[in-house]
Amino acid sequence: MASSDTTAETVTVDFWFDPSCPWAWMTSRWVDEVARHRPLDVTWHIMSLAVLNEDKDVSEEYRAFFPRALRYTRLVSAAKEIHGDAIVKPLYDALGTRIHPGESIDVDAVIAGALDEVGLEADFARYSESDEYDAPMRASHFDGIERVGQEVGTPILSVDGVAFFGPVISPAPKGDEALALWDGVVAAARYPGFFELKRTRTVGPIFD
């Protein structure tokens, strides 16, 4: 049984995600689980795997994925600029549910369903194919990257101003396991000399 710590001080959390990244999706589900039991003030920010890799030597198969991913980031960026921060997480949830556990690769269908779920008009989908809000999208992306360095991906998690790449987890823990992992991340963030902890992944993304 997970226990809430009602005496704990609120922790300020910033979370950078690309909606198409399964690893960011699972980490975000973990943060949601922790937020049900601990006082977190979470702000959700867009970042882009397409932008991250635009000047890198990656496989053609991986590069072919970027146009689809870019449509999702552009959509979230436009929604934030037009409707404010409050729309970012609901739209991320609506997109991610269809992309990840829903396993849909039909971008138009994913976007249409997500927009309907969050109460945005269907025509809002046009922003997914427009560079109108690329500038703030890129600014958000590089804000996250500059906090952790160039050789990272998504997600980026900042805990009270100390940012990390990750944690990369599969599946997302729940209950006491989620809180134990959170306490470890907070402890690491509060030690100024901590920089890196990593091991090779042995499983792929495991969704609920």
Side-chain angles (χ1 to χ4, degrees):
M1 175 68 70
S3 59
S4 301
D5 186 350
T6 58
T7 65
E9 295 182 359
T10 298
V11 176
T12 299
V13 178
D14 290 275
F15 192 105
W16 281 263
F17 65 92
D18 183 311
S20 61
C21 177
W23 303 105
W25 176 253
M26 284 183 292
T27 306
S28 72
R29 301 310 93 184
W30 165 64
V31 170
D32 282 350
E33 174 73 4
V34 173
R36 284 190 276 272
H37 304 283
R38 298 286 171 82
L40 306 184
D41 180 12
V42 186
T43 303
W44 302 87
H45 307 271
I46 197 71
M47 66 180 295
S48 170
L49 288 170
V51 172
L52 180 69
N53 291 282
E54 60 188 356
D55 297 322
K56 294 182 179 178
D57 183 16
V58 299
S59 69
E60 288 303 314
E61 181 181 5
Y62 188 36
R63 191 168 297 283
F65 151 82
F66 295 151
R68 182 169 78 241
L70 188 58
R71 287 189 64 186
Y72 297 136
T73 59
R74 282 175 163 168
L75 187 77
V76 176
S77 180
K80 178 183 183 299
E81 295 305 310
I82 296 170
H83 295 288
D85 286 339
I87 195 66
V88 173
K89 182 57 162 48
L91 183 54
Y92 178 31
D93 289 345
L95 290 168
T97 298
R98 290 164 172 81
I99 297 166
H100 302 301
E103 298 184 338
S104 177
I105 59 173
D106 185 336
V107 181
D108 291 329
V110 166
I111 289 175
L115 292 177
D116 181 66
E117 182 176 325
V118 301
L120 293 177
E121 69 230 24
D123 186 51
F124 200 86
R126 70 188 185 277
Y127 289 112
S128 73
E129 299 183 278
S130 167
D131 63 2
E132 184 174 352
Y133 293 101
D134 276 15
M137 180 267 285
R138 293 176 73 91
S140 176
H141 170 87
F142 286 111
D143 179 31
I145 289 296
E146 288 168 3
R147 296 171 189 238
V148 292
Q150 295 299 315
E151 299 305 317
V152 300
T154 173
I156 292 171
L157 180 72
S158 173
V159 177
D160 283 339
V162 178
F164 304 101
F165 162 56
V168 175
I169 51 180
S170 181
K174 293 182 172 64
D176 289 336
E177 285 188 333
L179 298 181
L181 178 60
W182 177 255
D183 290 341
V185 169
V186 171
R190 289 178 175 170
Y191 178 64
F194 177 78
F195 298 103
E196 186 173 348
L197 182 68
K198 186 175 181 178
R199 66 175 178 171
T200 300
R201 293 194 299 263
T202 58
V203 298
I206 300 171
F207 306 118
D208 290 337

